[in-house]
Every structure is written in C-alpha cells, then in structure tokens.
Amino acid sequence: MPPAPRKTPVSRKSPSTRQTYVMDESGRPQKKTIARKPVRKKKKGLSTEWKFMIVILLLVLFSPFYYAYVIKGFSSTWRWIRDIGEDPNYRTYSSFDIRIPKGYNIHGIDVSYYQGKIDWKKVKDMKEDDVKVDFAFIKATEGLFMVDPYFQRNWREAPKAGVICGAYHFFRAHKPGLWQAKFFLQTVNFEAGDLPPVVDVEELNGVSASEMRKQLNDFVKHIERKTKVKPIIYTGLSFYKDYLKGNFEEYPLWIAHYHQPKLKVGADTKWHFWQHSDKAKISGINHVVDFNAFNGDSLAFDRLLIK
C-alpha cells in the first residue's frame, strides 16, 4: 500500500495576501489577489519608573540652581586656568584690573575731587569673588583753607549706598597743626558708625622732621580731645620709616606701599590699613582709584568705628 501523502503543514502565520473574486467586463468571476494589511503590534508605553525619572531630569535641567551650579563650576575652572603661573597669594582680579593680596576680607577705596562725580550705588554693587568695596576714605580738607569740592557730595551719598566712610585731612607740615585740626573738624561732622578721622602726612614741606612731628602731634591731640577717638595716621612706607617710626605708636596706622604681595614692615609695626594699589578700576568711578585692605576681621573693624 503506497504511503499516504504528507499533508503540507499549515503555517499559523497570517498570509500576507488573500484571494477574492471580482467580475470582469463580461460578468464572469475572476480571481484577484489582494495584499493584506500588516498587523501592527501595539507598542508598549514607558513604565512609571521611567516617566518619573524623566520628570526629575527635566526639573533638574530647567532649575536655575542647576545652571548656577554649572556656571559656578565653569567660573572656578576658568579662574584656576587663568591663575596658572601667578602667585596664589597675590592674584589678578580682572574687574578691578589690579592684583589684590589674599588673606584680607575687608577692602576699601579712598577718593578725592580727582575721581570726579561718583555713582556710589555702582561702587557698592561691584564684586568679584569675595572682594567688594566695604569702606571709603574721603578727602575733606587740606592745609588751612582748602575744602575738597566733592567732599560734601561724597560724604552724603556714600553712606546712602551702604559704604562705611571716613574723612581725611591732607596735612601741611609748615602750617600750625592745631589750626589745621580745627579747620578739619569745622568741615566734617563725624557720627557713630563712621571710621575715625584721618590725617594724611606725606611731606616735610620745607621744615625739619622734628618740627613736622610737633605740628602733627598738635593735630592728633586736638582731634582726639574733640572726637574722643584716636585719629588714623596715613603715610607712605618710606616716609614712615624715615620720619615717623618709633613715634605716634598709640595711633592707628595706614601705610601706602604699592604693587607688592606683602606690606614690608616689621612684625612689631601695628598697622590697620594698607593702601596696596593706586590703579584700581571701580564701577561708577571714571578714574583709577587707590585700593586698600584692612588688617583684621569684621569684629576688629567694628571696634574701630566711632561709637
């Protein structure tokens, strides 16, 4: 008996075509093959966990804190690259356009008519890293008769902007120190919260060193009697070493010594302020400005202010 023919296995897959009959022009049925539409598989949706992760990622990317962190990281990296090769304790601050010694937290400027009209709000708002203008010494008088033409405006507007102020007198050694002190106090009204009065002594003006010290002593003693605070003595490093060192030790000292990473005085010199640059560029001021650092922390600075 011949073997039974094998049945052709039936594919379980749906055929890709199907046959049907259509009528031709004579009315007779004709076979026609029609392609079947492919069956589309339903796509699976994202799981709840993935949706949650995407939402969190979008929140992070659109968060201002994220961009602040990225910008801060980029700025720090760029700062590090720019500082390669520089003294880490005396680096350049581009916005101020000067090098500023590290290790000081309180910074300030001193101004006179030379700086012209100042926008003190812009001065106060300026900041790079941790450096900003905290205080300003403002020129008030000189000799016996000269009042700085911008003093009253600066003395009024700087405190409004939140800058702590002090006023200074440019001392003339060939003029009576007592009368210079009286003239200074007639011009400036010191109040609680101000920095102490300052006397700026830089020249002998044709008199001997001993005569200069005598007139300077008359000046500071009168100021101290009237204001009940010790005035600050400002001078250059060379003038201090040549004519003032060993004298007036009980008075706060402010020394000018430019473009150096350290103030080159002995450890026994008790100085309070260091004028380390005369080339700073400050927002709101159209001319270069002297830049200063305070030798101490915020508590020491507060103790120095007039009570």
Side-chain angles (χ1 to χ4, degrees), residues 106-112 118 120 123-124 132-139 151 154-155 157-159 162-168 190 193-196 198 232 254 273 282 285 289-292 301 305:
I106 301 173
H107 306 268
I109 58 177
D110 55 277
V111 300
S112 68
I118 297 173
W120 285 101
V123 172
K124 181 62 178 177
K132 63 186 189 307
V133 175
D134 299 295
F135 64 86
F137 287 111
I138 301 168
K139 184 178 181 180
F151 170 68
N154 287 332
W155 193 244
E157 297 300 321
V163 178
I164 297 171
C165 293
Y168 74 89
F190 289 98
D194 293 336
L195 284 160
V198 178
I232 299 168
W254 175 13
F273 294 92
I282 307 294
I285 303 178
V289 187
D290 299 329
F291 209 74
N292 305 271
F301 186 79
L305 302 180

Side-chain angles (χ1 to χ4, degrees), residues 137 167-169 171 196-202 212-213 215-221 223-224 230-237 239-240 243-245 247-256 269-275 304:
F137 287 111
Y168 74 89
H169 172 82
F171 188 77
V198 178
V199 55
D200 176 347
V201 53
E202 306 177 32
M212 176 274 294
R213 286 191 290 267
Q215 298 304 330
L216 181 59
N217 185 68
D218 290 345
F219 183 98
V220 295
K221 292 299 183 185
I223 296 293
E224 188 174 358
K230 291 185 180 297
I232 299 168
I233 296 176
Y234 166 93
T235 191
L237 182 60
F239 195 89
Y240 168 74
Y243 305 116
L244 296 176
K245 189 173 183 181
N247 300 278
F248 307 101
E249 296 292 307
E250 69 272 28
Y251 292 94
L253 184 60
W254 175 13
I255 298 180
T269 303
K270 296 178 182 178
W271 60 274
H272 288 68
F273 294 92
W274 172 20
Q275 188 183 82
L304 189 62

Side-chain angles (χ1 to χ4, degrees), residues 63 76 99 141-142 158 166 171 208 228 242-243 297:
S63 168
S76 298
R99 285 184 167 189
T141 53
E142 180 177 334
F171 188 77
S208 65
K228 309 304 180 187
D242 293 341
Y243 305 116
D297 58 17

Side-chain angles (χ1 to χ4, degrees), residues 50-71:
W50 275 105
K51 289 179 180 178
F52 179 75
M53 290 177 67
I54 290 171
V55 170
I56 294 297
L57 179 62
L58 290 174
L59 287 174
V60 170
L61 290 176
F62 285 99
S63 168
F65 298 104
Y66 171 78
Y67 287 101
Y69 177 80
V70 171
I71 291 169

